[in-house]
Amino acid sequence: MHSLIPLLRPDRRQPLHLPVHGRGRALPPALKRLLRQAPGSWDLPELPEIGGPLESEGAVAESQTQLASVLGVAGCWFGVNGATGLLQAALSALAGPGQAVLLPRNAHRSLIAACVMGGIRPVFLPVPFLSDRGHPGAMSEPCLEQALMALPSIPEAIVAAVLVHPTYHGYASDPTPLIAALHRCGLPVLVDEAHGTHFAFSGGEDLPRSSLHAGADLVVHSLHKSAPGLGQTAVLWLQGMRVSSEAVQASLLRFQTSSPSALLLASCEATLHWMLTSSWERLLQRRLQEAHQIAARLRAAGLPLGSSDDPLRLILVTAEQGMSGLDADAWFMQRGLIAELPEPLCLTFCLGLASQRGLAQRMQQLWRKLQLSQPCSGRLEPLLVPPLETSSTPELLPALAVRAQACELSLQDSGGRIAAEMICPYPPGIPLLIPGERIESDRLEWLLSQHRRWPALVPGKVKVLAEEPQVQLG
Ligand SMILES: Cc1ncc(COP(=O)(O)O)c(C=O)c1O
C-alpha cells in the first residue's frame, strides 16, 4: 500500500513554494528531455566516464571545471544533499575544534549543526529584526561594523565568517562592504546564498548583487530554491587565495555521500549550463516583470504586501488583517494556493520560475473572501524584538552541550538553565536558541512570547543541562 506516491501525482493546486521550477514547468530543457527517457535509465553509479564531484576525471569534473572557468572562479562542486550539505562541508573546511566562526543570528540550522559536528564555537552577530513582520532583516553595514567592534572575548581564535545573503524572505543589502569589512579583519567569508542563485545569473539591474561578484571566498547556491533544478541540488563556488581547494575537497569527502545520484548531478549541470544562456535570461526577465505586475495589482487592490529585495518573493503581512500567517496558510491551502513560509505575522509565497498567469486575480478574489469570512478585529501585535542586540557566544560549546546529561523542562521553568538542544521553528530553520546558551530571563520572556505565537513549531518545553558544567568554555 502506498501513501506517498499518490501525493506526488499532478494536481490542480497552484505551487507557490520551493522548489522554484513549479512542479516541473520551469525545469531546464535538457533535464526535461532526460526525464522523458525510460524510467531509471539515468540512475547510474560513478562510472569512469561519469565520475563525481570529487573525481578528477569524467563528465562531472569536466562540467565543474568549465563552469568555474566561465564564472572566473577557482572551484566549483555540485552537491546532492542540498545547500545543507555544502554549507556544512564549507564551514568545516574553514574551522575545526578549538576554533571559532562569526555567524549571523539568522544563520540556518545546518550551520549550527556543522558547529556541533566540528566542535566549532559560533560567535553570533546580531541582525536587524522587523518586529511588525516578526522575522530578521538583512545584515547591514553599520550593524556589522558595530558588532565587529564589540566582539566578546573568547578563548578560541576566530578563523572565518559567514553571511546569509539574501534571507529566506529575499531581504538583501549590498554584500560588498560586508565582505570587505570581514576581509579587513583577516577572515575568509562563506556566504549562504541559498536563496540568491539567480542574483549571480542575471544580466539585469533588478536584483541585488551576488556575493560571488562581491568578493566572497566561498558561496553556496541552492539550485532548487532560487534556480530551476531538482530538490536537493546545490553548488559550492570557491574564489581567491584565502581558502585552499584541497581543504574544501577534503571536507567534502568527509560529508558527501559515496553514491551521488547521477540524476541530481545531471540536474546541477543542466541547471547551471542553462542559466548561462540567453533563453534563461529572457525567462528570468519575464518572470521578474510578471512578479512586479502581480505585486502592483495586489497592492492596488489593498492586499498588505511587505517589500522584499527579491521580486520573486511575495510577503503577505496577514497581521494587518488580524490573522496569523499560519491560519492564513491553512485557509489558502484549502483553496488551492500552496504558500512557502507561514509565520505568526506573515505568509510568504515564492513565485518561482514558472508563469503565474492569473495569480493576481485569483489571490485578490481569495483575499476578498477571506476578509468577508474573517472580518478584521484589529492588527495583530508585533512580535517582541529578541534580546540579541549584541554579539554573543554560547556559554558552553554546542558540541558539549548536546552531549551533556540533560533533562526536559517546561519552557516556563527553564530560566537560568543552559540549553542542551536547539529551539528552531522549521521553516524557516532559523534557531531561536542554541545548545550551550544560557536562558537568561529576557531570553526566556522572548522564547515564551514566540511559543505563544506559534506553539506547534516552538514547543513549550526544552532540554537543558541536568547540572551546571564543571568546565566553563567562554
Ligand atoms: C538560508 C538557508 N540556507 C540553507 C538552507 C538549506 O537548504 P537545503 O534545504 O537545500 O539543504 C535553507 C533551507 O531552508 C535556508 O533557508
Side-chain angles (χ1 to χ4, degrees), residues 322-351:
M323 194 178 198
S324 90
L326 303 138
D327 293 341
D329 185 40
W331 196 91
F332 278 111
M333 182 99 76
Q334 276 171 9
R335 287 155 187 85
L337 283 196
I338 317 183
E340 168 64 19
L341 174 57
E343 294 170 285
L345 303 182
C346 293
L347 182 59
T348 300
F349 298 91
C350 292
L351 295 177

Side-chain angles (χ1 to χ4, degrees), residues 74-360:
C76 164
W77 292 271
F78 298 162
V80 299
N81 183 26
T84 295
L86 293 181
L87 284 169
Q88 292 177 340
L91 194 71
S92 130
L94 294 173
Q99 294 182 315
V101 294
L102 299 181
L103 289 186
R105 254 300 159 183
N106 60 340
H108 187 255
R109 68 179 189 188
S110 53
L111 288 160
I112 310 302
C115 290
V116 170
M117 288 187 282
I120 302 166
R121 172 179 292 279
V123 177
F124 290 106
L125 304 173
V127 291
F129 187 77
L130 313 174
S131 54
D132 56 339
R133 300 189 189 182
H135 51 236
M139 171 73 86
S140 64
E141 192 183 351
C143 187
L144 178 65
E145 294 281 7
Q146 210 176 344
L148 289 177
M149 279 194 299
L151 284 178
S153 62
I154 55 163
E156 293 93 345
I158 297 176
V159 294
V162 178
L163 294 171
V164 178
H165 170 76
T167 69
Y168 208 137
H169 302 89
Y171 304 134
S173 49
D174 181 358
T176 318
L178 307 183
I179 294 167
L182 293 164
H183 280 167
R184 278 196 300 277
C185 297
L187 302 174
V189 181
L190 159 65
V191 180
D192 174 357
E193 203 164 281
H195 294 281
T197 312
H198 53 321
F199 296 0
F201 293 85
S202 160
E205 300 288 299
D206 207 16
L207 292 172
R209 188 164 201 214
S210 165
S211 56
L212 202 56
H213 304 145
D217 303 282
L218 288 164
V219 177
V220 172
H221 283 145
S222 163
L223 294 178
H224 65 99
K225 292 180 194 301
S226 48
L230 291 174
Q232 259 183 245
T233 57
V235 63
L236 170 64
W237 307 102
L238 164 73
Q239 64 184 343
M241 307 295 284
R242 289 181 191 83
V243 184
S244 82
S245 177
E246 291 71 29
V248 176
Q249 289 263 130
S251 185
L252 284 165
L253 193 58
R254 290 195 291 274
F255 282 86
Q256 191 193 270
T257 169
S258 45
S259 334
S261 151
L263 175 64
L264 295 185
L265 293 172
S267 174
C268 293
E269 179 190 82
T271 302
L272 289 163
H273 282 182
W274 190 42
M275 289 176 92
L276 293 167
T277 65
S278 54
S279 67
W280 154 260
E281 185 56 36
R282 283 195 299 277
L283 174 98
L284 179 63
Q285 292 311 322
R286 277 203 306 278
R287 290 293 89 85
L288 292 173
Q289 208 175 9
E290 186 182 65
H292 284 302
Q293 283 162 359
I294 291 172
R297 279 188 63 182
L298 295 179
R299 281 206 176 90
L303 274 79
L305 284 193
S307 57
S308 169
D309 298 297
D310 181 354
L312 298 178
R313 300 282 150 109
L314 272 190
I315 306 169
L316 189 62
V317 187
T318 55
E320 305 258 336
Q321 177 60 28
M323 194 178 198
S324 90
L326 303 138
D327 293 341
D329 185 40
W331 196 91
F332 278 111
M333 182 99 76
Q334 276 171 9
R335 287 155 187 85
L337 283 196
I338 317 183
E340 168 64 19
L341 174 57
E343 294 170 285
L345 303 182
C346 293
L347 182 59
T348 300
F349 298 91
C350 292
L351 295 177
L353 295 165
S355 172
Q356 300 290 359
R357 197 156 352 123
L359 176 66

